[in-house]
């Protein structure tokens, strides 16, 4: 269940999910935590779906997203991440096993859950497939999801 939930977050963070109409007047339960934790951020926008609330914003020029339950509990946060900053062992595995030009890098994000544990997700595409890899802080690489296009 946890893996499915994280998969949902990763897919949404990678831009493959649609959210509810943000023009609706909705009270976001995570707003109190967000406003006390993130000050001085820009381009803040809230959205929600059936499972969680999401706030997207820029902090020091970096695109970030924070996810909350509908009860206002922090789920975790994502931010864009430079591919070349991944753990060295992960870079070696990925560049050996998922070679360019067959695989095209789409997105690379860092996900930190509410407990402070960090992992990385990269999405890659090839002609007929989309692949999301999960990378641990230690550099181990596993296939998080794979779908045919």
């Amino acid at each position: 269940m946890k893996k499915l939930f994280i998969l949902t977050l990763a897919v949404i963070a990678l831009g493959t999910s649609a959210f509810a109409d943000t023009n609706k007047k909705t009270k976001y339960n995570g707003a109190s935590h967000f406003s006390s934790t993130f000050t001085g951020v820009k381009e803040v926008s809230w959205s929600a779906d059936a499972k969680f609330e999401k706030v997207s914003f820029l902090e020091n020029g970096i695109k970030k997203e924070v996810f909350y339950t509908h009860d206002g509990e922090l789920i975790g946060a994502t931010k864009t991440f430079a591919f070349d900053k991944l753990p060295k062992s992960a870079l070696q595995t990925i560049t050996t096993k998922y070679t360019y030009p067959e695989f095209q890098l789409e997105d690379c994000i860092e996900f930190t859950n509410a407990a402070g544990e960090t992992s990385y997700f990269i999405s890659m595409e090839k002609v007929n497939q989309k692949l999301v890899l999960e990378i641990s802080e230690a550099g181990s690489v596993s296939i998080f999801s794979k779908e045919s296009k």
Side-chain angles (χ1 to χ4, degrees), residues 20-31 46-49 52-53 70:
D21 182 3
T22 57
N23 294 327
K24 294 179 182 177
K25 299 287 184 201
T26 305
K27 179 182 182 294
Y28 294 106
N29 293 317
W46 285 84
S47 58
D49 72 3
F52 52 83
E53 301 172 359
H70 289 294

Side-chain angles (χ1 to χ4, degrees), residues 5 11-12 23 48-49 52 62 75 78 89 109 114 119 125 141 148:
F5 192 68
V11 169
I12 289 170
N23 294 327
D49 72 3
F52 52 83
I62 299 171
I75 297 168
T78 65
S89 60
I109 63 167
S119 53
E125 287 193 10
V141 178
S148 298

Side-chain angles (χ1 to χ4, degrees), residues 96-115:
T96 301
K97 194 170 184 180
Y98 305 100
T99 58
Y100 179 85
E102 181 182 11
F103 287 91
Q104 303 282 322
L105 178 66
E106 294 290 310
D107 287 307
C108 184
I109 63 167
E110 176 184 85
F111 175 76
T112 304
N113 66 21

Side-chain angles (χ1 to χ4, degrees), residues 7-112:
L7 171 63
T8 301
L9 286 177
V11 169
I12 289 170
L14 294 172
T16 59
S17 179
F19 286 90
D21 182 3
T22 57
N23 294 327
K24 294 179 182 177
K25 299 287 184 201
T26 305
K27 179 182 182 294
Y28 294 106
N29 293 317
S32 175
H33 175 270
F34 179 79
S35 63
S36 66
T37 305
F38 299 96
T39 57
V41 297
K42 299 178 181 179
E43 299 181 30
V44 177
S45 68
W46 285 84
S47 58
D49 72 3
K51 296 181 182 186
F52 52 83
E53 301 172 359
K54 176 180 88 165
V55 59
S56 302
F57 59 98
L58 286 177
E59 183 176 49
N60 299 323
I62 299 171
K63 179 184 172 190
K64 296 184 177 185
E65 297 174 329
V66 178
F67 298 87
Y68 296 96
T69 67
H70 289 294
D71 293 327
E73 293 178 41
L74 176 66
I75 297 168
T78 65
K79 68 178 181 178
T80 55
F81 196 77
F83 178 76
D84 63 343
K85 301 295 184 204
L86 290 170
K88 191 173 187 174
S89 60
L91 286 172
Q92 289 173 324
T93 300
I94 294 165
T95 56
T96 301
K97 194 170 184 180
Y98 305 100
T99 58
Y100 179 85
E102 181 182 11
F103 287 91
Q104 303 282 322
L105 178 66
E106 294 290 310
D107 287 307
C108 184
I109 63 167
E110 176 184 85
F111 175 76
T112 304

